[in-house]
Amino acid sequence: MSEKPKRPRPAPTPTNISQQFWEGVNKHRLLLQRDPATGKCQFYPRAVNIYSGKQDTEWIEATGKGVVYSFTETLVPARGFEGKEPYLIATVELEEGVRLMSLLHNCSAADVMIGMRVRLCWDKINDDFEYFAFEPDK
Amino acid sequence: MKNPLSARDVAIIGYAETRIVRRSNRSTYDFAAEAMAKVLASTGVGIDEIDGLATLIPDSEAGNNFWSNYLGDHLGLTTRWTQSSDLGGASMAANVARAAAAIQSGQCEMVLSVAASTPSTIRTDNQRSYRSEFRNPTGIQGPPGAFGLLMHRYMHQYQLDFKALGKLAVAQRNGAVINENAVDSLRKPMTIDDYLASRIVSTPLRLLDSVMPADGGNAILITSTERARKMQARHAVHPIAYEEVTNFNVRNPMPDITESGFTLAGPRALAKAGMSPADIRMFHPYDDFLVAVMLQLEHIGFCGRGEGSSYLLSTDISPTGKLPINTGGGQISCGQPGLAGGQLNLVEALRQMFGEAGERQVPKPDTAMVTGIGVIPYVRNWGTSAVLILEKSW
């Protein structure tokens, strides 16, 4: 029996800019860049502090608590997600004031709601990478 | 606000378009050449008269960091001014403004602005940064997923009536049915119920909310009004105002995703033209997804925020209506020749203003607004919003 070779789930492509972020992820810590002057955070990791134009961001660890900003249930899977459909993707706003996008675990399309409280959880992509995800915070 | 275009000293004198086809197995250069040959034939301009070339980096040739040079070589053009824009679907509206500025500053006199792409045959694009690092690993279904997120948030803040999107889908489809350049499989009439019954890709977004990738090309010729008069061009349309915004809200880490750069570019372009939305005879907005058209109506000011559904339901958007929208079918019903689709609705606006739209001709097509959208960023609304206002001269 010949089966179509399964395409692997896309793994992130880290750069020197995000190296610390991914080291954090592998220790189950979600790191954010913060502007030391205003305390405002930014995501995704960048080589510059977007609030000042300086290269002076500092890393902080997020609490992992947030709320759902929006969501979509994927019925036609993306490359590397074949067979996993349907699955939920959410944009989540963290207490630290940034918005992220990830899979939403342990939640059905019937239960997901904008404004719903969620917490950080983890998701193994392959032997080298974990990825952040969220789940309902009950 | 300074607006050199108000001098009306720049004119678009020709347009051309290839048929849009699925999986053509033709080269990008072939579509570009066909579009150029057609626009030269329809205007009587000689190949040796072209001294400016504007294009965009297409899905099917991305990776060639000498793209515009290769393209001009293939087409047999020696140019004094050459521009390759990478604003995605906003590139070709942007190129009109860039070409106009080049003509006004004496860098060139006759610009071929040509787009071609064949993403249903081959794609060579490779976007890194946030796309490969933080978007693709989530499993989001590309643009349909991003617009699913956008639509759900819009529904949370406002009323979204899917029948309004269905009405827009049907209006555009009616144009494609009588547009011989549209993809064959899309030239079949459809109803609002067909739209509502189409399968969901990424909730709440349906298949018929979306463009279908295809292959094709298009071209326009831009020159000085003086030269257009001297050569007795058959038609001339002036670009009279242009505004673009790229990376709207980039320093806001949690922006309202139901807003876009059109909230700035739309009113600014109208102010430059000395117009209000009521002065726009027809609207040819960039349409990768139906809801993007609805949001543009709100952001540019044709209606208030959150009023897009009721505006669409209460407005005749057919060619003979109050505000004709994407009369040729738009990208959604013609097929999207990749990023070259960004010039598709501009070509239709010119066809209308030249009085050459046949069965779908808009009466008194004196003014038009054409828009462009580029890039889907990480958790924000689209990256570039471009607004071009056109006025018929002769």
Side-chain angles (χ1 to χ4, degrees), chain B residues 169-183:
Chain B
V170 170
Q172 293 202 179
R173 181 59 62 88
N174 291 343
V177 169
I178 52 172
N179 181 352
E180 59 190 23
N181 290 333
V183 162

Side-chain angles (χ1 to χ4, degrees), chain B residues 25-342:
Chain B
N25 285 317
R26 287 169 59 188
S27 153
T28 309
Y29 293 97
D30 189 13
F31 282 106
E34 182 185 335
M36 180 181 81
K38 281 181 165 158
V39 79
L40 293 180
S42 70
T43 55
V45 169
I47 192 169
D48 54 341
E49 292 181 68
I50 295 171
D51 62 356
L53 171 65
T55 188
L56 61 75
I57 301 176
D59 326 67
S60 49
E61 292 291 335
N64 178 353
N65 48 350
F66 295 103
W67 160 244
S68 58
N69 199 312
Y70 274 65
L71 177 65
D73 188 307
H74 192 102
L75 297 178
L77 303 176
T78 301
T79 46
R80 299 161 61 204
W81 176 84
T82 307
Q83 163 86 34
S84 181
S85 297
D86 64 352
L87 297 174
S91 299
M92 298 312 285
N95 278 350
V96 173
R98 284 151 175 71
I103 291 164
Q104 287 177 326
S105 63
Q107 296 181 72
C108 56
E109 278 187 36
M110 180 69 72
V111 175
L112 175 74
S113 190
V114 58
S117 193
T118 64
S120 69
T121 293
I122 184 173
R123 293 192 67 137
T124 61
D125 57 323
N126 176 19
Q127 298 154 36
R128 301 196 295 176
S129 185
Y130 60 80
R131 181 82 56 126
S132 61
E133 189 163 13
F134 292 103
R135 195 198 83 173
N136 296 346
T138 65
I140 189 132
Q141 174 50 275
F147 274 82
L149 290 166
L150 171 54
M151 287 169 82
H152 265 154
R153 185 67 200 187
Y154 183 93
M155 290 161 71
H156 179 73
Q157 296 181 206
Y158 306 107
Q159 299 280 319
L160 176 59
D161 188 334
F162 287 96
K163 287 196 291 293
L165 296 182
K167 180 184 171 184
L168 176 60
V170 170
Q172 293 202 179
R173 181 59 62 88
N174 291 343
V177 169
I178 52 172
N179 181 352
E180 59 190 23
N181 290 333
V183 162
D184 279 336
S185 64
L186 294 174
R187 297 189 61 197
K188 295 185 187 96
M190 64 173 275
T191 63
I192 293 177
D193 285 337
D194 291 333
Y195 164 76
L196 294 172
S198 75
R199 75 186 165 115
I200 303 277
V201 177
S202 193
T203 61
L205 185 131
R206 296 167 166 83
L207 187 66
L208 290 180
D209 278 301
S210 322
V211 285
M212 180 170 89
D215 303 345
N218 44 57
I220 65 173
L221 276 178
I222 311 165
T223 189
S224 65
T225 303
E226 189 188 351
R227 175 111 168 231
R229 274 207 195 92
K230 238 182 253 169
M231 65 178 274
Q232 296 183 304
R234 286 187 309 119
H235 297 284
V237 164
H238 301 302
I240 59 166
Y242 176 79
E243 276 286 317
E244 77 187 31
V245 173
T246 293
N247 289 328
F248 179 66
N249 269 340
V250 70
R251 287 189 302 280
N252 180 347
M254 300 199 298
D256 180 349
I257 199 172
T258 70
E259 285 184 0
S260 76
F262 284 108
T263 57
L264 301 176
R268 284 175 186 161
L270 285 165
K272 275 183 164 178
M275 285 178 164
S276 76
D279 299 317
I280 300 296
R281 180 66 189 94
M282 53 187 173
F283 188 39
H284 297 272
Y286 190 85
D287 61 324
D288 44 357
F289 296 94
L290 291 171
V291 73
V293 173
M294 201 187 80
L295 289 177
Q296 290 176 75
L297 288 167
E298 296 183 8
H299 298 172
I300 293 166
F302 290 96
C303 61
R305 294 284 297 278
E307 294 171 7
S309 295
S310 54
Y311 180 86
L312 280 170
L313 287 171
S314 64
T315 306
D316 185 346
I317 56 172
S318 73
T320 52
K322 181 181 162 214
L323 186 71
I325 296 181
N326 283 343
T327 47
Q331 300 183 90
I332 288 176
S333 264
C334 286
Q336 181 183 46
L339 297 176

Side-chain angles (χ1 to χ4, degrees), chain A residues 9-15 18 21-22 41 43-46 50-51 69-78 81 87 89-91 93-94 97-103 114 125 131-132, chain B residues 128-130 132-142 144-146 148-154 156-157 199-205 250-258 378-380:
Chain A
R9 178 171 164 188
T13 51
T15 66
S18 55
F21 175 82
W22 293 109
C41 292
F43 192 84
Y44 56 96
R46 291 175 166 98
I50 57 172
Y51 304 109
Y69 178 75
S70 194
F71 65 92
T72 184
E73 187 183 32
T74 311
L75 302 180
V76 177
F81 285 76
Y87 54 90
I89 288 173
T91 40
E93 294 190 339
L94 296 182
V98 290
R99 188 182 299 157
L100 288 68
M101 178 166 66
S102 81
L103 286 162
I114 288 175
I125 294 183
Y131 204 77
F132 58 90
Chain B
R128 301 196 295 176
S129 185
Y130 60 80
S132 61
E133 189 163 13
F134 292 103
R135 195 198 83 173
N136 296 346
T138 65
I140 189 132
Q141 174 50 275
L149 290 166
L150 171 54
M151 287 169 82
H152 265 154
R153 185 67 200 187
Y154 183 93
H156 179 73
Q157 296 181 206
R199 75 186 165 115
I200 303 277
V201 177
S202 193
T203 61
L205 185 131
V250 70
R251 287 189 302 280
N252 180 347
M254 300 199 298
D256 180 349
I257 199 172
T258 70
Y378 184 76
V379 307
R380 295 200 315 274

